[in-house]
Amino acid sequence: MKDLKMTTLQLACKNQMRRLVFSIGLVLSLTLFVFSACLDEPKIEPVQEVFLDEVYTYNYDAQLLNASPKNELIQFGFEVFQNTSKYIGPENTEEANMYAGNNLSCNNCHLASGTKPFAAPLIGISKRFPQYRGRENKIGSLEERVNGCMERSMNGKALPVNSKAMQGLLAYMEWLSRYSPADGKIAGQGFVSLIIPDRAIDYDKGQLIFNSKCSVCHGIGGKGVKSPEGTGYEYPPLWGNDSYNNGAGMTRVITAARFIKGNMPFGTTYNNPVLSDEEAYDVAGFINQQQRPIKKNREKDFPDLRKKPVSTPYPPYADTFSIQQHQVGPFPPIIKYYQNEYNIVKSK
């Protein structure tokens, strides 16, 4: 009888102890949850799984090509792509070949020599042209697309179509496209998708993100870092006189945020982002509020104004939203307007 009472008492004690441990664990879990919430850590949104095409597995090192007239032109195009300012910009020795207005290189935006997924890769591009371009509202050639970059991202003037530099760039892009499908369409074209916050950019947060994660390469003043080889930039300036002008596509907050999300800080890849959508959005807004060269005749862009991206920072527009809202948001109300008014779904 005594042993039975002891066993019952022991069981009661064990049950009480279990309840106590459970209560303590519950309190600790709730405490940790509240503490974590208070830290206000940004949520890195999951990236949609993308199965990249086999084309990314091939060797695109143009320097390994055998000697031939065709390969020499490809290699020259590669050199222009990598060291644009040296061949057709301020660092070249012949004024007649001065077409780029800054010291950027094509490689500063089209990363890994135009072969990185979701960094506007050029693999397949020669097969995707001619194509319709809303900025001109017409079917345009690849030569015209190159010159769009020359006049905006490079802050310069159009290359003559028959120039060696243009022919070299076209040969290089055709060579990059040799393994792409007939229509040139590949996974990883353009930039990653982005959930656009329903608010204006937060300038102060964008500045903090830039100073903590971007300035390591681009400098506190956004002036970039010159290449060790002495021409162009290893890390390009993001504003100022030697950056892209205010007519370039990268001046659109949504476009810049998508590029940043999939590629920045240095080492970031589309499937392993460092910044959240909101962080990329805020730092893109901060960068594009800085001073940069002025593109002339911007008002002639997008003859059909309904096709103008909502984050284009300059008028005219086919709506009554302010210039400021087109520059810094919020953008979802503008997107909703175009869907309701014109049945046009916009994502940039």
Side-chain angles (χ1 to χ4, degrees), residues 43-348:
K43 177 186 177 185
I44 307 297
E45 290 77 5
V47 176
Q48 183 178 359
E49 188 173 13
V50 175
F51 296 97
L52 294 179
D53 296 308
E54 189 181 33
V55 290
Y56 290 104
T57 66
Y58 292 102
N59 189 327
Y60 293 102
D61 188 350
Q63 296 172 312
L64 299 179
L65 290 173
N66 297 325
S68 73
K70 180 180 179 180
N71 287 346
E72 286 173 8
L73 185 60
I74 292 170
Q75 289 173 327
F76 178 71
F78 169 78
E79 286 296 324
V80 173
F81 191 90
Q82 296 291 115
N83 303 290
T84 313
S85 62
K86 175 182 176 181
Y87 290 94
I88 55 173
E91 294 175 337
N92 86 86
T93 56
E94 298 179 20
E95 189 172 346
N97 288 328
M98 182 82 72
Y99 293 98
N102 56 34
N103 288 292
L104 299 181
S105 292
C106 304
N107 190 55
N108 290 142
C109 290
H110 303 276
L111 305 181
S113 304
T115 65
K116 185 182 180 187
F118 294 105
L122 299 177
I123 297 171
I125 193 168
S126 65
K127 297 178 182 179
R128 297 198 292 271
F129 277 83
Q131 69 174 217
Y132 173 79
R133 297 282 298 168
R135 192 155 57 192
E136 294 80 26
N137 197 32
K138 71 181 186 73
I139 301 294
S141 66
L142 183 53
E143 291 90 336
E144 288 173 308
R145 183 69 187 93
V146 170
N147 277 330
C149 285
M150 289 299 302
E151 294 173 336
R152 297 168 189 271
S153 298
M154 311 305 291
N155 192 37
K157 59 185 180 181
L159 272 171
V161 173
N162 61 353
S163 65
K164 184 180 178 181
M166 174 66 84
Q167 292 303 308
L169 287 170
L170 295 175
Y172 176 61
M173 287 187 278
E174 184 177 0
W175 180 75
L176 287 180
S177 302
R178 67 195 186 279
Y179 296 121
S180 63
D183 61 4
K185 294 181 180 180
I186 58 171
Q189 283 179 221
F191 307 130
V192 298
S193 59
L194 188 87
I195 299 173
I196 304 168
D198 194 4
R199 60 171 176 81
I201 62 107
D202 189 318
Y203 183 93
D204 292 335
K205 283 187 179 179
Q207 185 173 28
L208 286 173
I209 295 164
F210 180 86
N211 289 341
S212 64
K213 296 187 177 179
C214 309
S215 64
V216 175
C217 294
H218 297 283
I220 290 291
K223 295 180 180 179
V225 175
K226 282 283 192 175
S227 171
E229 285 75 25
T231 60
Y233 286 94
E234 183 175 11
Y235 304 109
L238 301 180
W239 61 82
N241 293 334
D242 219 18
S243 186
Y244 53 89
N245 66 38
N246 66 350
M250 205 59 76
T251 58
R252 303 173 198 147
V253 168
I254 297 173
T255 299
R258 291 175 61 196
F259 173 79
I260 291 167
K261 173 73 184 293
N263 298 286
M264 298 292 146
F266 181 76
T268 295
T269 58
Y270 75 94
N271 56 353
N272 189 27
V274 173
L275 300 180
S276 69
D277 287 1
E278 297 218 0
E279 287 176 322
Y281 177 74
D282 288 333
V283 76
F286 166 74
I287 290 169
N288 281 330
Q289 282 296 295
Q290 310 307 310
Q291 294 296 313
R292 62 187 65 258
I294 305 296
K295 169 73 171 65
K296 295 180 179 178
N297 301 318
R298 290 170 297 156
E299 69 280 357
K300 295 181 180 179
D301 290 351
F302 299 96
D304 184 348
L305 293 176
R306 297 173 301 171
K307 296 175 181 177
K308 201 168 192 176
V310 298
S311 59
T312 304
Y314 52 88
Y317 305 109
D319 57 67
T320 58
F321 293 92
S322 68
I323 295 175
Q324 182 180 11
Q325 187 165 348
H326 280 282
Q327 290 181 347
V328 300
F331 299 108
I334 310 178
I335 292 172
K336 184 177 180 181
Y337 171 85
Y338 279 88
Q339 187 168 5
N340 292 339
E341 190 73 17
Y342 301 114
N343 197 28
I344 298 174
V345 178
K346 292 179 177 283
S347 60
K348 61 180 181 178

